[in-house]
Amino acid sequence: MSNLDRFIETFLNGAVLAKYTPAILQGVWVTIELSILIVIAGTLLGTSLACIRAYRLRPVSFLIVIYADIFRALPPLVLILLAYFGLPNVGVTLSSSTVLFVILGLTLGAFAEEIVWAGITSTDKGQWEAARSTGLGFTQTLIFVVLPQAVRMVIPPLTNRAIAITKMTALGTVIGVPDILNQATTAQSFSGNASPLTLAAVAYVVLFLPFVILSRWLESRFAWKKG
Amino acid sequence: MSKTTTRPAVRKPEAENGGAAPGAGRPTLEVIGLRKSFGTLEVLKNVSLAVEKSEMVFVLGRSGSGKSTMLRCCNRLEEPDAGEILLEGQPITGSGVNLDKVRRRIGMVFQGFNLYPHLDARRNITLALRKVLKQSRDEADTRAAAALTRVGLADKAGNYPSQLSGGQQQRVAIARAIALEPAVMLFDEPTSALDPELVGDVLGVMRELKEDGMTMLVVSHEMAFAREAADRVVFMADGHIVEQGPPEDLFTNPQHESTRAFLSRYSYGP
């Protein structure tokens, strides 16, 4: 057997691929569902917290900063394991998918809060003054004037961060979430062949490459020409 | 520019105050004993000024004289340390004043235009009409169109600020302010950020506002315009009003040393 044949046999084995593709496709759906939920929950959470922080109420802002810093500092895998294996001991039993969703949602929320907050603070002070001078209140100014500009400004970094966090759904494998990687590793151990992992890699690229390209496009789309 | 468009009345204090206006007979805007410090720097030292209805008052002075701070105190973008400000006889300083309610009666035009970049010209104007005056979309659109017509930009309603020249942006900003039918308009160096060839358009709009009876307090370095269009010129130096009077008097016969020095720097006067 030539080296090339051995390579194909190991990584692109047709029979193995045919057998396990349906399982991996199931995993694709799990990954997609979880990713969508995490992105929605994380950005909503982060944006809301950034808005609350804009009121500059010291104790509240302090709590938000603590949360954001802890979740940005900790590796999500640590929290995933802690929640999945630790919480049942205090009577809280969550499904593996729920744990993954909550931890990654909170992690994205922490980063999104910092990113949107940066957008809010870098919005020109004149925008606040102009809006307030027309009689708009603080909350109205925040929602209708500042936030739309802030979000537009931070969409590229936010997209990048969302991609980075949703990729981490692969971490769910360690607690048994039936995502792409989990299906692939299971198939790999049953078949004794690495081809399912190749397929998983391809699936991730197919899934995430469009978003990487999208973020590139957004970056140019939302770049304002300053008037 | 068409003058036949539906032009909202410049002000209607009766509706705000209910019947006989308590401010009747008082100046539209009164500043009394205003003081303001930034840290240890005292920027305003007991400034008093009154702007009568339909009067255009120009405030001159070198940068750092406190004129912009005084103007910004008038709608409390800066919070005065002491003193009182009255709008149509009603105090707007102190606690218990609904700032948002007061501010919709005081239009402000900024040096940097400060248009909302994510909204087109029409929606720059309608935002406050919708959210503050709670007008319907149709009402607000109609009023925005009238305001844009007044500043000669009826055809730019759908343009975003980035698609407008500086002069056009500043005129949209003026339209945004006048659409709220303020009792007084504050101009904070409205032409300082403009290319010279665009200044004339903005000043033209200000002149028309004056002809329509708008009350205006203007901080600006447009000396020729002040001399020609202002009813009164106020000269500030070092946190004080050192001199004021009709433009012709102040420009041709300045009494105070700092006024003379300032005017000669601009090589103006006889």
Side-chain angles (χ1 to χ4, degrees):
Chain A
M1 197 187 258
S2 75
N3 282 338
L4 180 63
D5 286 341
R6 189 172 302 141
F7 180 84
I8 291 174
E9 175 78 23
T10 310
F11 292 103
L12 298 164
N13 188 313
V16 174
L17 285 176
K19 187 174 176 195
Y20 292 104
T21 295
I24 287 176
L25 281 180
Q26 272 179 13
V28 167
W29 284 116
V30 172
T31 298
I32 289 176
E33 273 173 19
L34 273 168
S35 299
I36 291 173
L37 288 174
I38 289 164
V39 168
I40 292 174
T43 41
L44 277 182
L45 175 68
T47 307
S48 309
L49 290 176
C51 286
I52 293 170
R53 198 171 159 192
Y55 289 83
R56 297 180 194 271
L57 305 166
R58 269 175 180 274
V60 179
S61 298
F62 182 73
L63 290 178
I64 293 172
V65 170
I66 295 276
Y67 151 72
D69 285 358
I70 287 179
F71 274 81
R72 290 188 306 152
L74 274 170
L77 184 57
V78 175
L79 288 169
I80 289 167
L81 294 173
L82 206 59
Y84 189 69
F85 295 111
L87 286 181
N89 297 320
V90 292
V92 182
T93 308
L94 301 172
S95 76
S96 54
S97 298
T98 308
V99 167
L100 188 62
F101 163 73
V102 169
I103 298 301
L104 291 187
L106 286 171
T107 306
L108 180 56
F111 281 99
E113 187 278 322
E114 285 300 310
I115 291 170
V116 175
W117 174 245
I120 289 175
T121 52
S122 61
T123 301
D124 183 20
K125 191 165 126 275
Q127 294 290 313
W128 284 99
E129 293 186 344
R132 297 306 301 273
S133 80
T134 64
L136 287 167
F138 183 91
T139 305
Q140 288 177 319
T141 302
L142 181 63
I143 291 174
F144 299 116
V145 175
V146 175
L147 195 58
Q149 297 181 48
V151 166
R152 216 170 280 216
M153 212 179 326
V154 301
I155 272 182
L158 204 53
T159 312
N160 282 330
R161 184 53 65 178
I163 292 168
I165 304 282
T166 45
K167 273 194 310 194
M168 291 183 193
T169 49
L171 295 174
T173 300
V174 298
I175 54 171
V177 176
D179 71 325
I180 296 174
L181 186 61
N182 195 1
Q183 299 288 5
T185 47
T186 307
Q188 185 260 333
S189 49
F190 278 137
S191 64
N193 184 285
S195 298
L197 291 170
T198 312
L199 189 56
V202 171
Y204 277 115
V205 170
V206 170
L207 215 53
F208 284 102
L209 196 58
F211 290 101
V212 173
I213 293 168
L214 176 76
S215 79
R216 212 179 272 285
W217 179 77
L218 286 172
E219 208 152 332
S220 55
R221 169 74 176 72
F222 284 112
W224 259 308
K225 287 143 267 158
K226 259 279 182 183
Chain B
M1 190 185 304
S2 165
K3 291 213 167 195
T4 55
T5 49
T6 51
R7 179 170 303 149
V10 173
R11 57 196 202 131
K12 41 175 185 181
E14 300 81 9
E16 292 282 326
N17 298 330
R26 307 284 310 250
T28 298
L29 184 70
E30 264 180 294
V31 174
I32 304 161
L34 202 63
R35 293 176 190 276
K36 174 73 182 174
S37 299
F38 294 114
T40 56
L41 181 69
E42 197 175 10
V43 182
L44 296 177
K45 305 164 182 167
N46 195 11
V47 171
S48 297
L49 176 69
V51 184
E52 300 293 337
K53 182 170 189 268
S54 299
E55 196 184 19
M56 184 197 250
V57 175
F58 248 76
V59 185
L60 300 178
R62 60 181 61 178
S63 47
S65 61
K67 54 195 195 311
S68 272
T69 305
M70 192 264 294
L71 194 77
R72 289 163 58 81
C73 282
C74 290
N75 67 354
R76 289 177 63 188
L77 282 180
E78 298 292 352
E79 200 59 52
D81 296 334
E84 207 179 357
I85 297 169
L86 305 175
L87 180 69
E88 297 176 320
Q90 303 287 316
I92 66 165
T93 39
S95 56
V97 171
N98 184 335
L99 254 190
D100 294 336
K101 242 187 174 129
V102 163
R103 282 178 173 150
R104 76 179 71 156
R105 310 270 304 132
I106 305 174
M108 178 126 183
V109 174
F110 300 86
Q111 180 176 355
F113 327 137
N114 296 352
L115 290 181
Y116 314 132
H118 61 299
L119 300 176
D120 63 21
R122 177 193 297 111
R123 287 189 294 155
N124 261 277
I125 299 168
T126 56
L127 182 65
L129 298 176
R130 300 285 312 276
K131 304 299 174 190
V132 178
L133 300 187
K134 309 288 183 200
Q135 291 190 342
S136 71
R137 183 183 294 271
D138 285 349
E139 271 179 294
D141 283 353
T142 308
R143 212 195 269 199
L148 281 172
T149 304
R150 272 182 94 175
V151 299
L153 293 173
D155 56 332
K156 300 292 185 193
N159 287 50
Y160 284 83
S162 60
Q163 301 166 321
L164 298 170
S165 73
Q168 290 171 333
Q169 288 189 56
Q170 191 60 298
R171 283 145 72 196
V172 172
I174 293 172
R176 174 172 67 182
I178 60 174
L180 289 157
E181 301 177 355
V184 59
M185 287 274 286
L186 311 174
F187 290 83
D188 190 4
E189 309 211 12
T191 57
S192 300
L194 295 176
D195 294 335
E197 73 268 22
L198 301 175
V199 167
D201 291 341
V202 171
L203 296 182
V205 167
M206 291 170 67
R207 185 179 295 120
E208 293 204 11
L209 287 180
K210 174 182 159 48
E211 285 163 8
D212 291 345
M214 179 64 80
T215 310
M216 295 192 261
L217 182 57
V218 185
V219 167
S220 168
H221 291 293
E222 298 293 339
M223 309 285 248
F225 182 70
R227 187 167 188 170
E228 167 218 338
D231 296 303
R232 185 153 47 103
V233 174
V234 171
F235 187 79
M236 282 184 75
D238 194 29
H240 296 284
I241 291 178
V242 295
E243 190 169 351
Q244 56 179 308
E248 218 38 54
D249 293 359
L250 197 112
F251 283 114
T252 53
N253 189 20
Q255 299 300 311
H256 198 276
E257 180 51 42
S258 54
T259 318
R260 277 197 289 273
F262 179 79
L263 291 176
S264 68
R265 272 158 62 104
Y266 278 82
S267 56
Y268 209 91

